[in-house]
Amino acid sequence: MEMIADAEAVAIVPTPEIKKKFKIKDIVRDPNLARHLNQDERNAIGMWVVNGYVRDLSSRIVWTQRNAEAIKLALQFKEDKTFPWTGASNVKFPLVTIAALQFLARISILTKGRRIARYEYIGADPDGKKLARANRISLHTSLQLVDEDVAWLDSDEQCKFGAALVGSAFKKTYFDPVQGTNISEYVPAQYFVFDYHCKHVDKTLRATHCIGMNANKIRERVARGLFIEEENPQTPGPETIANLLRVTADEISGLWNQGASEEYRVLEQHCWFDFDGDGYAEPYIISVREDTGHVYRIVARFFDDGDVHRVNDLAVRQYEGMALKASDPKDKSRYERLAQEMEDASDNKIVRIDPVKYFTKYTFIPSPDGGAYGLGLGALLGPVNAAVDTLINQLIDA
C-alpha cells in the first residue's frame, strides 16, 4: 500500500451533522450512544473517525520511518543478503539492544519490591493522621499493582524498554469490569496514534488506540450490549493506510505476506464531538472498524459530577454551602431551591469539560523539533550500529 507523504495530502472530512440532540444527563448514563443514531449518521461518524486517524498517522511519517529501522536493529532482524555475494556475512551487532537493556536495568530499581506506590502528605500533621492515611493509600495502590494486576510488572518493563528504543511508549489505565480490578497495560507507539505536532497527548483533540480483536471478542461485546452488530460483516480487509511501525513488527514476527489477518482492527478514538448541540464539543470514545468504518460504540469520556463546569457553578456551591450550615428548615429549603434554580437556569451554559484520561506517556528524550513523540536510542545509535555492522561484515568477508 502506498504511504501518504503528509497529513495535508489527506482530504478533510467535515464533522457530521446529527439530527438528534442529547442531554448531558442522558449522555453520561448511556452505554452506547450509537444505538440512537440512524445508519447514515453512523456511517458519517465512522468515516470522520477513520479520516482523523489517517491524518494523524500521516503527520508522524518521518518519525515512523526513523524508528522502523530502530526496531529492526533492536530485535536483530536479518534480511536476506546477496551483496557482494549470496551468503555473505550478515552479522547484526546488538548495540541498540544493549543500550536499551542497560537503561532498563538502571531504571527498574524504581519498581522493585512490593511497596511500589508512595504517597506523601502536605501541611502540618500534629496527630499523624495524614501520614497514616498516606501509608494506607500507598499500601492499597501497591496491592492493586502487584497482586491484583498480575501483568503490571512485565507491562511496566516493556513500556520502559519501548520508550528507550523508539522514544515514546504509553500505558493505558482503566477499570476492567470483568476482572473487577484496575488494569494498566502497555500500549506500543505503533498502536497509539495522535497528531505529531500537538504539544502533549493530554491536550490533543484526537488520539486513537488501534486494537486487534478476533471475531469472538466482537461477538462477546455485541452480546453484552456494548457493541452494535455489523450487518453482513466482511472478513478483515487491507489497512486504510500503511502503519509502518505495525508493518515492521509483523514482518519481524514472521506474519509478513501471510495473507489477511484474522483480527479485526478496531480504532478506539478518544475525541471530541458535539452531541448536545450547544456548540461546545464533549469528550467521547468512539470505536470504529478501520477497514469498513462501521461504528461499534460511542460512549462519554466524562462524568457530569465534577467533570462538567458551568457558568453558575460558583453560585450553586455557595447556596449549597449555606443550606448545609442553615439551622432553620425554612432557610435550608430556600437555599436548596435557589441552588436548584441556578443550576437549571437557561444561562447556565457549559464552559469546560475535563475528560477522563486513560493514557500515560513515557518519554525517553523530548524531541528537539517539538514533536509529541520522543527521541529514542534507536534514532541516536542507529547510524553507529549500522556502521559497526558494516565494519564487522567487511572484516569477515575479507
Side-chain angles (χ1 to χ4, degrees), residues 74-91:
L75 298 181
Q76 300 291 284
F77 179 70
K78 295 182 180 181
E79 301 91 346
D80 293 333
K81 189 174 181 180
T82 59
F83 182 84
W85 54 75
T86 302
S89 176
N90 193 15
V91 173

Side-chain angles (χ1 to χ4, degrees), residues 83-231:
F83 182 84
W85 54 75
T86 302
S89 176
N90 193 15
V91 173
K92 295 289 185 181
F93 186 77
L95 179 64
V96 173
T97 307
I98 292 173
L101 288 174
Q102 289 287 338
F103 168 77
L104 180 62
R106 286 164 170 78
I107 199 173
S108 292
I109 193 65
L110 299 175
T111 52
K112 296 300 181 183
R114 298 186 56 81
R115 186 73 176 270
I116 294 177
R118 297 182 184 275
Y119 289 82
E120 295 182 356
Y121 64 90
I122 298 175
D125 185 31
D127 53 3
K129 289 184 178 180
K130 290 184 178 179
L131 176 61
R133 185 181 182 188
N135 288 333
R136 289 196 303 271
I137 297 175
S138 299
L139 290 173
H140 179 69
T141 305
S142 298
L143 172 69
Q144 289 181 310
L145 296 175
V146 177
D147 295 326
E148 293 183 355
D149 186 2
V150 294
W152 184 87
L153 285 174
D154 290 339
S155 179
D156 185 66
E157 290 199 346
Q158 286 180 320
C159 188
K160 292 170 182 173
F161 183 81
L165 180 61
V166 300
S168 292
F170 304 89
K171 277 288 197 70
K172 183 180 182 182
T173 306
Y174 60 96
F175 179 78
D176 187 350
V178 177
Q179 299 184 29
T181 61
N182 292 319
I183 301 295
S184 182
E185 62 183 9
Y186 166 51
V187 179
Q190 61 262 33
Y191 298 115
F192 189 62
V193 180
F194 56 95
D195 185 9
Y196 181 82
H197 304 288
C198 76
K199 297 299 181 183
H200 194 274
V201 63
D202 289 338
K203 303 297 182 182
T204 183
L205 295 178
R206 181 177 57 237
T208 307
H209 182 196
C210 307
I211 306 174
M213 292 187 183
N214 57 34
N216 273 353
K217 290 184 178 180
I218 298 291
R219 172 55 55 187
E220 177 186 353
R221 285 160 175 76
V222 171
R224 290 178 180 272
L226 299 177
F227 276 11
I228 294 179
E229 188 171 11
E230 187 175 8
E231 296 181 3

